[in-house]
Amino acid sequence: YRAHLPGAGIFRCSITGLGFRVKSAVIVTYRYAPWNQYLSESDMDKWMCAGPLFHIEVQPGVVQEVHLPHYICLAEGVNTTQCFIVHYKSGEKILERPTRLMAFSAVLENPTFSLLGVLWRKLFFSLNSFPMHALVLIFQQLSAARTTLHLYLIPDDNSVKQAIEEEEMKWNAKLIPKPPPFNPLFFGCVYWVTSTKSVEVTPETFLPFCYKSPKEHQFFIEIYIRDMEDEIDLLMTDTRNNATIWKALVRSGDINVPVSFSNTVSGATFMKKHKTELCSRMRQLCTILLHLRDANIINSDEEEEVQREETSQRRNRVLLELTEKKGRKAQEQLYQILRLKDPYLIADLEN
């Protein structure tokens, strides 16, 4: 990511959660880095990843504070003395205490930049005493028979969430947005997924809650619904005490129907038919451009060409015309990105 911060103030990235307090205008570039390339097995025995690891580049002396996102729930009276910010410089690991801890970020004043992330020191028998903010992600497999869902349970880490979204997009999937668990969860615990209706769960109904690097294969369960009625209740309970920690209603309106529609209407056809509406209603352009660039559909010069336009409607139009010139593959890719990032818009236009 590259952000141009126009002047003094506090800025936060809506995609990654990373924040900066700067004293003047500056350009910041940053990307996710995988923890498992920098933490050894012995490190993992002593430390717990508590948020994404970032590689940050910025002009020295301009950033007064960096706000690094974390997913530890501080409302539970957690011992915050075990929180550290780690730097990796020339292969050396340097630990610093944060200047202060906020609900969703650790703040470091007058930082120097390299690889930065939040770590929590493990104490004896303390792993499952750290309450974590968590997410439940549900994806519908659009190419699968009838209604097939993938359900993930992950810490509230945008780097992991983004990696899952990108992988699911390759499988032609659609995100079904649902609320997070009611309460913080605990690493090392196992949660049981059930339904009030008859569904088939593979490989089993139990999900472990743990951290896995974005580069690793994430745990999920597959839920197969043979006959989708008006709605299906999904529940998740704590195997230690049978307490319900999450509940969601999957309605027929959440599901893309029918599968044959996806097979007969191409992405190119959809983009052409709804071009006018997409120009005025398409959002999250920065994220869409990032996905298109990662898929080698557009290059950095073309991304800048889109971003130079003064209004969001003009930027959307330039992007749509650019993908149209590149052909059906580019339009299909943009269509799949929109299905993932803005499913409600696509559903509204398809209906």
Side-chain angles (χ1 to χ4, degrees):
Y1 305 90
R2 183 176 66 244
H4 177 256
L5 310 184
I10 299 178
F11 301 87
R12 187 180 71 86
C13 173
S14 61
I15 300 171
T16 65
L18 187 62
F20 301 93
R21 179 195 289 272
V22 297
K23 59 184 179 183
S24 62
V26 70
I27 293 176
V28 185
T29 61
Y30 48 97
R31 59 178 171 82
Y32 291 124
W35 278 111
N36 58 354
Q37 288 186 10
Y38 299 93
L39 285 178
S40 65
E41 288 188 16
S42 60
D43 286 334
M44 294 296 283
D45 291 336
K46 302 172 186 175
W47 297 95
M48 179 179 63
C49 305
L53 180 64
F54 292 95
H55 184 278
I56 304 170
E57 295 178 355
V58 63
Q59 177 186 341
V62 179
V63 178
Q64 298 170 306
E65 294 178 352
V66 60
H67 295 226
L68 297 163
H70 70 77
Y71 45 74
I72 303 292
C73 180
L74 303 182
E76 300 287 321
V78 169
N79 179 5
T80 58
T81 62
Q82 304 309 311
C83 178
F84 291 84
I85 293 174
V86 64
H87 289 234
Y88 289 98
K89 296 182 181 179
S90 303
E92 182 183 0
K93 181 175 67 178
I94 301 171
L95 294 171
E96 293 189 52
R97 290 197 177 274
T99 306
R100 63 184 184 277
L101 273 177
M102 301 171 67
F104 296 98
S105 62
V107 180
L108 185 64
E109 292 182 351
N110 302 316
T112 56
F113 290 103
S114 56
L115 287 160
L116 288 173
V118 182
L119 288 177
W120 219 276
R121 190 193 301 274
K122 294 180 183 178
L123 300 177
F124 190 59
F125 289 138
S126 66
L127 180 59
N128 61 6
S129 64
F130 288 123
M132 315 278 183
H133 297 294
L135 295 175
V136 176
L137 304 179
I138 302 176
F139 293 86
Q140 181 195 0
Q141 303 303 297
L142 298 173
S143 301
R146 297 189 184 269
T147 303
T148 302
L149 308 176
H150 287 177
L151 186 148
Y152 298 80
L153 177 62
I154 60 170
D156 189 359
D157 182 324
N158 282 335
S159 65
V160 177
K161 180 175 182 285
Q162 180 178 311
I164 292 172
E165 288 177 340
E166 290 173 355
E167 187 68 18
E168 287 284 340
M169 190 183 299
K170 296 176 187 176
W171 300 339
N172 190 24
K174 164 197 164 184
L175 176 66
I176 302 175
K178 293 299 174 185
F182 308 140
N183 298 307
L185 306 187
F186 298 87
F187 279 171
C189 295
V190 177
Y191 297 90
W192 183 32
V193 180
T194 57
S195 174
T196 55
K197 303 290 177 65
S198 178
V199 300
E200 298 176 23
V201 179
T202 307
E204 57 183 359
T205 58
F206 298 98
L207 267 177
F209 181 53
C210 62
Y211 175 83
K212 299 194 77 175
S213 170
K215 297 294 184 182
E216 296 181 278
H217 182 69
Q218 303 292 327
F219 291 124
F220 69 88
I221 61 171
E222 182 179 273
I223 300 171
Y224 176 65
I225 306 170
R226 187 177 300 276
D227 295 307
M228 183 67 194
E229 302 175 4
D230 289 338
E231 55 190 40
I232 296 276
D233 272 308
L234 295 176
L235 300 97
M236 194 177 296
T237 56
D238 191 328
T239 56
R240 297 172 302 172
N241 54 19
N242 288 327
T244 300
I245 57 96
W246 176 81
K247 183 177 181 180
L249 202 60
V250 179
R251 302 173 179 86
S252 57
D254 295 327
I255 304 299
N256 257 49
V257 291
V259 172
S260 58
F261 177 85
S262 299
N263 293 334
T264 56
V265 179
S266 69
T269 302
F270 177 90
M271 304 306 288
K272 182 177 180 180
K273 179 180 179 181
H274 299 291
K275 184 175 180 178
T276 301
E277 293 91 339
L278 289 169
C279 283
S280 60
R281 298 177 62 187
M282 198 161 63
R283 299 291 182 265
Q284 303 187 54
L285 186 64
C286 289
T287 305
I288 292 168
L289 290 170
L290 176 67
H291 282 296
L292 288 172
R293 201 175 65 195
D294 286 346
N296 294 319
I297 301 297
I298 63 171
N299 57 39
S300 56
D301 290 338
E302 291 166 331
E303 181 182 5
E304 289 182 7
E305 177 187 345
V306 173
Q307 294 283 32
R308 277 198 298 267
E309 297 297 328
E310 294 182 356
T311 67
S312 61
Q313 189 162 343
R314 280 292 306 159
R315 288 191 287 271
N316 289 342
R317 180 172 293 278
V318 170
L319 177 59
L320 291 170
E321 291 173 351
L322 181 63
T323 53
E324 189 174 344
K325 290 177 184 177
K326 288 178 176 283
R328 297 180 68 85
K329 179 183 176 183
Q331 290 178 296
E332 183 66 35
Q333 187 72 24
L334 177 55
Y335 174 59
Q336 296 300 336
I337 292 168
L338 287 172
R339 292 182 87 155
L340 179 65
K341 305 308 295 183
D342 201 345
Y344 291 119
L345 171 60
I346 298 301
D348 186 51
L349 294 178
E350 285 180 342
N351 291 332

